[in-house]
Amino acid sequence: MTVKKDEGLIPVREGEDFDRKKVESYLRKHLDIPDAPMEVKQFPSGSSNLTYLIRFGDWEAVLRRPPFGPLPPKAHDMKRESDLLTKLYPEFNIVPKPYLFSEDESIIGAPFYVMERKHGIVLNDRFPEDVEVTEQTRRDISLAFIKTLIKLHDVDYKKAGLESFGHPEGFLERQVHGWTKRYLRAKTDDYPAFDRIAKWLVDHMPKSKYTSVIHNDYKLNNMLLSYDFKEVKAVFDWEMATVADPLFDLGVTLGYWVQADDPEFMRPVLPTVTYQPGFLSRREMIELYAKETGRDVDDMHYYIVFAYFKLAGVLQQIYYRYKMGQTQDERFANFNVRIKSLIQHADDISEKQSY
């Protein structure tokens, strides 16, 4: 396939630029950068933290900062994310290598960090036009996807120095209650199914059996695939990563994994390619995970129900910012429809014991 230099990048969106002179001065002071003009482009995917390509001649890096506007407490912690990548990189170098972190808000108005730029393909809701895709291609992607998650869950988090990055005891209970509260704080519409599913999650909560590093937002468009689609070159967006239950992570991941027999609304709500022929089903992914790790996956139905509930909460926080005028990004204008569908779906499947 032909790879264009800036494929997938856009000019910086209106209202999301920064003081380029200050950034250039700061980077030149702390990093070995060629004597060339600074170029800036924006990565358009993602609806939370903002990422920019910084280029000086052949030298490239990625700058990551929080979204604009008021932020929930403890959310979008750039220092924590940068520190986590620094500790995780030696054990799991599929993450980008962090270069530096700055908490000096006089530079861009917020803390930020700069990291290595990795190259590959990000898959959203379609394959690149000049790529021949077969069922085997899609199977290769599925295998690389789930095996990389297994590799992450096999990291010795104590050896990596990440023991203090999470509080595994009571994690699932905190997540259920926490996402219920976050949703209610950002509530804009009434959906009767919300109260039912929030109660169901409390009443049916399993006891966590395992502990590992978890990404907590692991999905296809949070990673770079190799150009032959056979391996994962990088995993991004570690803002919600922690040390907790790996089955929780697998459940959140499979909540994004739309398959061919899912309800029609799922494809526009969760734009992806994973419903196409050749991709493994959620059940196949779970069976492979269980075989490779030896972990008991009997509670996966619960974790997948929670995944839809949590995603509704994430979208609700974003939609609230849009409704309050804190962001003008029109991608968020119809998130209320997506939120309603996700809550209803979680409610519908909660008693079916299927995934």
Side-chain angles (χ1 to χ4, degrees):
M1 64 176 290
T2 303
V3 181
K4 298 176 182 177
K5 184 178 181 182
D6 287 342
E7 189 166 13
L9 295 168
I10 61 172
V12 177
R13 285 189 289 256
E14 184 177 355
E16 295 184 351
D17 210 336
F18 50 77
D19 188 322
R20 300 190 183 192
K21 289 184 178 180
K22 286 185 177 181
V23 168
E24 179 174 359
S25 175
Y26 182 82
L27 295 182
R28 289 194 182 280
K29 180 178 178 181
H30 294 278
L31 298 172
D32 185 14
I33 292 172
D35 185 15
M38 184 174 78
E39 299 177 62
V40 181
K41 296 287 181 70
Q42 189 168 13
F43 293 92
S45 61
S47 49
S48 181
N49 291 331
L50 304 173
T51 50
Y52 307 82
L53 172 69
I54 309 292
R55 180 188 290 133
F56 295 89
D58 293 332
W59 187 92
E60 294 180 324
V62 174
L63 184 151
R64 186 161 164 85
R65 62 150 293 156
F68 290 87
L71 303 175
K74 298 184 180 180
H76 312 286
D77 187 337
M78 294 292 99
K79 184 178 190 307
R80 181 182 185 277
E81 190 173 330
S82 177
D83 286 349
L84 182 140
L85 295 184
T86 300
K87 292 176 181 292
L88 186 58
Y89 181 80
E91 308 296 327
F92 185 76
N93 64 5
I94 301 171
V95 302
K97 183 178 182 179
Y99 292 155
L100 58 82
F101 164 76
S102 174
E103 57 188 355
D104 183 354
E105 298 191 13
S106 71
I107 301 172
I108 66 167
F112 67 93
Y113 70 93
V114 177
M115 59 184 159
E116 170 189 16
R117 187 197 182 183
K118 295 205 175 195
H119 292 269
I121 296 173
V122 176
L123 279 183
N124 284 303
D125 58 350
R126 60 179 60 86
F127 283 89
E129 292 180 2
D130 57 348
V131 173
E132 181 182 352
V133 181
T134 65
E135 290 195 23
Q136 185 60 48
T137 305
R138 300 183 187 105
R139 179 174 174 79
D140 287 343
I141 294 169
S142 302
L143 292 173
F145 179 87
I146 191 64
K147 288 183 178 181
T148 300
L149 184 65
I150 291 169
K151 183 177 180 180
L152 172 65
H153 291 172
D154 283 345
V155 168
D156 185 334
Y157 66 91
K158 295 180 181 179
K159 179 184 175 185
L162 290 169
E163 206 165 357
S164 64
F165 270 75
H167 304 283
E169 189 68 32
F171 174 80
L172 183 56
E173 183 177 8
R174 292 195 304 274
Q175 286 290 303
V176 170
H177 291 298
W179 280 105
T180 300
K181 291 176 182 176
R182 290 185 192 100
Y183 179 93
L184 292 173
R185 281 198 299 265
K187 182 177 176 181
T188 53
D189 300 273
D190 285 317
Y191 306 125
F194 176 85
D195 292 332
R196 289 196 300 271
I197 194 60
K199 183 177 186 303
W200 184 91
L201 287 167
V202 171
D203 293 344
H204 293 81
M205 191 179 301
K207 182 174 177 59
S208 296
K209 303 180 181 75
Y210 311 105
T211 302
S212 75
V213 178
I214 70 170
H215 182 277
N216 214 358
D217 199 27
Y218 188 83
K219 53 183 178 175
L220 268 181
N221 66 355
N222 269 346
M223 64 181 57
L224 279 176
L225 296 166
S226 60
Y227 294 117
D228 63 3
F229 296 106
K230 292 185 178 180
E231 61 179 315
V232 176
K233 302 298 289 185
V235 179
F236 301 128
D237 289 2
W238 292 85
E239 65 180 287
M240 293 189 288
T242 188
V243 173
D245 184 347
L247 298 186
F248 178 93
D249 208 19
L250 180 60
V252 168
T253 292
L254 295 180
Y256 293 113
W257 196 266
V258 179
Q259 57 191 39
D261 59 352
D262 279 335
E264 280 188 28
F265 83 85
M266 294 286 279
R267 295 184 193 179
V269 168
L270 298 167
T272 184
V273 293
T274 58
Y275 61 86
Q276 296 178 9
F279 280 105
L280 297 183
S281 67
R282 287 188 292 271
R283 185 173 296 277
E284 288 173 319
M285 301 275 267
I286 292 167
E287 289 172 354
L288 179 58
Y289 183 93
K291 179 182 177 181
E292 293 285 328
T293 65
R295 293 181 179 129
D296 177 357
V297 294
D298 287 350
D299 294 321
M300 283 311 304
H301 171 253
Y302 178 92
Y303 290 108
I304 291 174
V305 171
F306 176 78
Y308 296 123
F309 177 82
K310 176 187 175 183
L311 183 55
V314 172
L315 297 187
Q316 184 61 48
Q317 288 182 322
I318 297 167
Y319 183 65
Y320 179 84
R321 288 197 291 116
Y322 176 81
K323 287 283 285 186
M324 296 298 105
Q326 295 168 6
T327 175
Q328 285 77 47
D329 193 330
E330 287 299 321
R331 293 179 300 159
F332 309 148
N334 72 339
F335 271 25
N336 58 327
V337 177
R338 299 185 182 193
I339 293 159
K340 181 180 180 180
S341 298
L342 284 165
I343 291 172
Q344 188 60 57
H345 185 60
D347 188 42
D348 290 344
I349 69 171
S350 62
E351 301 295 344
K352 293 180 180 178
Q353 293 297 316
S354 64
Y355 42 74

